[in-house]
Amino acid sequence: MLLTDRWLAFLPHVDAPAGETVMTPGLPAGLTELRVGRARVWAALATGARLEPGAPLRIIDTVPASHARARDWPQTLSREEVHDAFQIFTDIHERTPGTLHFASDLIGVRPVFLRRRPQGWWLSNRIELIRRVGPAEPVEPLAVLEFLILLSPLGRRTLEGGVERLFCGDRIEWSETTGPVLHAEGIQVRLGDPEPDAHPHAMAERIKETMFDSIRRKLAWHPLPPVVALSGGYDSRLMSAAARALGLRPRAYTYGAPHHSEFWAARLIASRLGMELRTVEYPHDMLRSRMPLFFDVLQGQADPYIMHIANLLAMPEPEGTPVMHGFIGDTMSGAFVCRMQKHHFQSKDLLAEGIVRSYAFPVQLKAMEMAGFDRPFETLCQAAYDNLPPAPHLFQSAMLWACSNRQRRFTATQAEILGSRFTPFYPFYDRAYMELWMHQPLASQVDRLLFFTVFKKHFPEVATIPHPNSVFAIQPAMKDILRKFAFDRTLEVKGKLLRLFGRELPDPDIMRISYGGETEEIRRSMAGEIAAETAALKARFGIDVPADLYGYCFPAGQRIHYDGLHILRRFWALARYVQWEREGLGAAAEAASAGWRASAA
């Protein structure tokens, strides 16, 4: 069994000339060529990896390959066992002589890009490798619109013309007699009717035990003790409380400054749980300084929305340390369902509309019209409708949509960011845990009622701490509510006093730093870069840059709002995209990525 985190494969068609030589498309150094009949796989193999003579080819794409221990894995390891071990992977397997099978993790978090060429199909987990095997093609306008509003392209669409990304449950099989064949099986989570009569306390017990079991199974694959990413929100505190209940005492890391409410909540949670809390400082101008790394790990989506996760790379922990993170926990426990209104679950059309309305605000839709998109709201509603996975109930379809589009295409890219140094694992990203939540009735997920019952029944010590974005808590306690109220009012008064003298709190909130709008100087610089690439954006993505984009995003006399930051950041990301294409994207991204990883270590 071989481990890798960078690979490219060529699967020829049946009618391709038998003696044809596969021309490697200027591949970078460090890739080893492996053959199965006329098929080829080039992979950057982990140190010490070797293929036993006569043994069938099996390659596991894992994050990070250098930290895994393939020598401890039996050759008969199943897909489900690999999923539990490292979770973010693609299994490339020669099950019978002369055949190849490509299968991804549960929801396809690890990207597999596909380019169909006349001589055969090219597959890779890296956008810069798949771009080498054919000329640039026009980008589908819908993919650009989805990126600008819905955070990423939906389904199999990407921001690269002629390149698809495999969807949840997709697998590809190849043999000399069939050539490459795509099997679209859909997300591999068992669905059925909810259990409406189950007592909330009984279900809370099952959820707790399933979560405990997930943590135990995943930790069994890690020789080092874990650390916890503690943001102060509900999912990270549940994960932290569960770890302590299992007898673990992991160190916790948070980020931000003392005047951030997230920092305040994380500090109080760590104190209640008896956990050591360390702080990872936010760098200034993080959007611009780290964008080359983000392009490399974001696989061509070029969206820095989740970049604050990258600050965890600065944790002073050994290489390969397992990092517990609350990925996908909010979607499973009802947070995404809560974004919809009750009437959105009356029909598939209304559900698609509700999904789009939760992302697309009037100021953003108007900007899309100015950019040349016709009827953007209706277009996005149709796209969301077409991408709603089938399910017995519409709220289950909504949860699957969030998993297969928002989570895997957008949030889960953190796995590769953290994976450059550490071994991330996610207690909530577990088949049994996900299936249990999928079978809860809608009433128990609205307002996250069952999720809060888990806290009240099993983890009351952290249920009284208000959420960073609220004064209230899951389980009200006057002492903690007054603490949060005093914290918020003190910060508000301090901000008003500073504004009287023409100043602002430094880094007023975490999300503004993550969004790239720390200062007016930076925002204007981003707008200038967009203006300089107006012609290139039109040629590459078919979009018109709205006149006076900065003035539209930030009207004079109004406070900074996130809709404006969202619009500016997305146009800027696409402008940087075309800059890197012009300057030699692959080498620049790889050099920047390697440099950052070295400095972080």
Side-chain angles (χ1 to χ4, degrees):
M1 183 183 298
L2 307 175
L3 302 184
T4 186
D5 60 6
R6 186 178 297 266
W7 58 270
L8 175 73
F10 173 71
L11 308 178
H13 291 309
V14 174
D15 56 359
E20 181 177 323
T21 302
V22 178
M23 301 300 294
T24 56
L27 295 180
L31 298 184
T32 300
E33 181 181 287
L34 304 163
R35 301 188 179 197
V36 175
R38 293 184 299 140
R40 302 286 188 274
V41 179
W42 296 269
L45 301 179
T47 303
R50 70 179 189 275
L51 182 63
E52 298 294 337
L57 178 66
R58 190 170 189 189
I59 302 174
I60 300 295
D61 173 12
T62 182
V63 177
S66 59
H67 304 153
R69 300 182 301 170
R71 63 183 181 275
D72 297 336
W73 293 8
Q75 287 291 330
T76 56
L77 203 63
S78 69
R79 276 188 61 197
E80 290 72 20
E81 288 172 312
V82 174
H83 168 73
D84 287 338
F86 286 98
Q87 303 178 81
I88 311 301
F89 78 103
T90 303
D91 189 359
I92 305 172
H93 198 177
E94 184 184 8
R95 293 181 182 172
T96 58
T99 68
L100 275 178
H101 300 253
F102 294 76
S104 66
D105 61 274
L106 183 58
I107 63 171
V109 167
R110 183 71 161 166
V112 177
F113 296 106
L114 166 63
R115 191 161 210 162
R116 305 173 195 244
R117 306 297 296 163
Q119 72 275 27
W121 289 5
W122 291 89
L123 300 168
S124 181
N125 68 340
R126 296 286 173 169
I127 199 70
E128 75 271 16
L129 291 179
I130 205 72
R131 290 177 78 247
R132 298 169 186 252
V133 302
E137 300 177 28
V139 180
E140 187 176 354
L142 180 55
V144 182
L145 177 61
E146 290 169 341
F147 167 77
L148 290 169
I149 295 294
L150 299 181
L151 310 177
S152 74
L154 302 185
R156 295 186 179 89
R157 286 184 285 276
T158 73
L159 290 177
E160 287 289 332
V163 176
E164 308 165 55
R165 176 175 173 175
L166 297 192
F167 197 60
C168 296
D170 284 356
R171 59 185 175 86
I172 288 180
E173 297 185 358
W174 176 89
S175 72
E176 297 282 4
T177 57
T178 65
V181 179
L182 172 63
H183 299 271
E185 299 178 344
I187 186 170
Q188 300 298 294
V189 175
R190 180 180 59 86
L191 295 175
D193 290 327
E195 305 174 31
D197 299 326
H199 193 281
H201 284 192
M203 293 310 306
E205 180 71 26
R206 287 181 60 187
I207 288 170
K208 183 202 74 170
E209 290 302 326
T210 305
M211 178 175 55
F212 281 10
D213 181 62
S214 174
I215 294 175
R216 291 189 191 100
R217 283 186 284 107
K218 290 173 173 60
L219 279 180
W221 293 90
H222 302 292
L224 298 174
V227 299
V228 172
L230 181 59
S231 67
Y234 288 142
D235 300 291
S236 65
R237 79 173 69 180
L238 176 61
M239 180 179 60
S240 300
R244 290 293 290 121
L246 286 171
L248 304 173
R249 190 181 288 273
R251 284 184 295 277
Y253 284 88
T254 193
Y255 28 71
H259 63 272
H260 293 146
S261 57
E262 293 86 352
F263 182 92
W264 177 89
R267 183 177 57 192
L268 197 54
I269 293 166
S271 175
R272 294 277 173 88
L273 295 175
M275 298 168 60
E276 177 188 356
L277 181 67
R278 298 182 180 181
T279 305
V280 179
E281 297 292 337
Y282 259 79
H284 286 277
D285 196 14
M286 62 182 295
L287 172 64
R288 298 162 61 83
S289 63
R290 293 184 178 176
M291 194 62 184
L293 169 64
F294 296 133
F295 184 87
D296 184 40
V297 300
L298 289 177
Q299 306 295 336
Q301 293 185 47
D303 181 32
Y305 190 95
I306 61 141
M307 69 177 64
H308 60 279
I309 297 294
N311 291 290
L312 293 174
L313 284 172
M315 292 187 299
E317 296 290 338
E319 292 282 328
T321 295
V323 179
M324 297 176 65
H325 194 279
F327 164 65
I328 220 169
D330 56 348
T331 294
M332 286 297 98
S333 57
F336 186 78
V337 168
C338 291
R339 300 179 69 159
M340 308 295 112
Q341 298 180 21
K342 185 176 181 180
H343 73 276
H344 289 142
F345 297 106
Q346 295 177 358
S347 72
K348 189 175 176 180
D349 292 281
L350 289 173
L351 177 56
E353 178 184 327
I355 289 173
V356 174
R357 288 194 183 279
S358 68
Y359 291 100
F361 298 101
V363 65
Q364 298 168 342
L365 292 172
K366 180 63 177 178
M368 296 306 101
E369 293 176 356
M370 295 162 64
F373 292 102
D374 182 40
R375 298 167 57 86
F377 179 76
E378 292 79 2
T379 301
L380 289 171
C381 285
Q382 184 62 51
Y385 181 95
D386 293 339
N387 278 277
L388 279 172
H393 300 271
L394 284 174
F395 78 90
Q396 295 171 327
S397 186
M399 293 172 69
L400 291 178
W401 184 93
C403 290
S404 58
N405 287 286
R406 172 182 164 83
Q407 293 287 350
R408 83 182 190 101
R409 298 292 298 264
F410 161 63
T411 312
T413 48
Q414 59 173 277
E416 291 200 63
I417 294 174
L418 294 181
S420 62
R421 283 200 63 213
F422 306 116
T423 306
F425 79 92
Y426 310 106
F428 304 130
Y429 183 35
D430 182 80
R431 192 187 310 270
Y433 185 84
M434 293 169 68
E435 289 181 348
L436 181 58
W437 273 108
M438 286 288 182
H439 285 80
Q440 302 311 308
L442 177 60
S444 69
Q445 301 201 42
V446 172
D447 297 325
R448 305 186 84 178
L449 292 178
L450 180 56
F451 183 68
F452 291 168
T453 300
V454 175
F455 272 100
K456 292 175 183 178
K457 180 173 174 58
H458 298 292
F459 309 107
E461 67 275 20
V462 292
T464 63
I465 302 171
H467 190 276
N469 299 326
S470 172
V471 173
F472 301 101
I474 296 172
Q475 189 163 297
M478 186 61 67
K479 182 179 180 181
D480 288 336
I481 290 175
L482 290 176
R483 280 180 175 178
K484 183 61 162 58
F485 180 82
F487 174 84
D488 290 343
R489 299 292 76 77
T490 300
L491 192 61
E492 184 179 309
V493 170
K494 187 175 181 179
K496 288 181 178 179
L497 289 174
L498 286 172
R499 283 193 290 274
L500 285 175
F501 295 96
R503 299 166 56 193
E504 273 194 24
L505 277 170
D507 305 327
D509 60 73
I510 284 180
M511 291 313 295
R512 186 182 300 184
I513 304 172
S514 298
Y515 283 8
E518 302 96 306
T519 67
E520 181 180 359
E521 179 184 6
I522 290 176
R523 294 191 293 271
R524 288 194 177 277
S525 175
M526 293 167 69
E529 290 186 62
I530 296 169
E533 297 293 345
T534 298
L537 287 170
K538 180 66 173 180
R540 181 68 173 82
F541 296 109
I543 57 175
D544 299 309
V545 176
D548 188 19
L549 180 63
Y550 186 87
Y552 180 79
C553 293
F554 312 110
Q558 295 187 19
R559 296 185 65 180
I560 299 296
H561 57 85
Y562 287 124
D563 288 350
L565 287 173
H566 176 99
I567 296 167
L568 181 71
R569 184 182 70 254
R570 293 303 173 86
F571 276 97
W572 178 84
L574 293 180
R576 292 303 298 266
Y577 197 123
V578 297
Q579 288 177 23
W580 285 316
E581 284 188 323
R582 186 170 58 245
E583 297 166 3
L585 173 64
E590 185 65 24
S593 178
W596 162 244
R597 291 166 186 164
S599 64

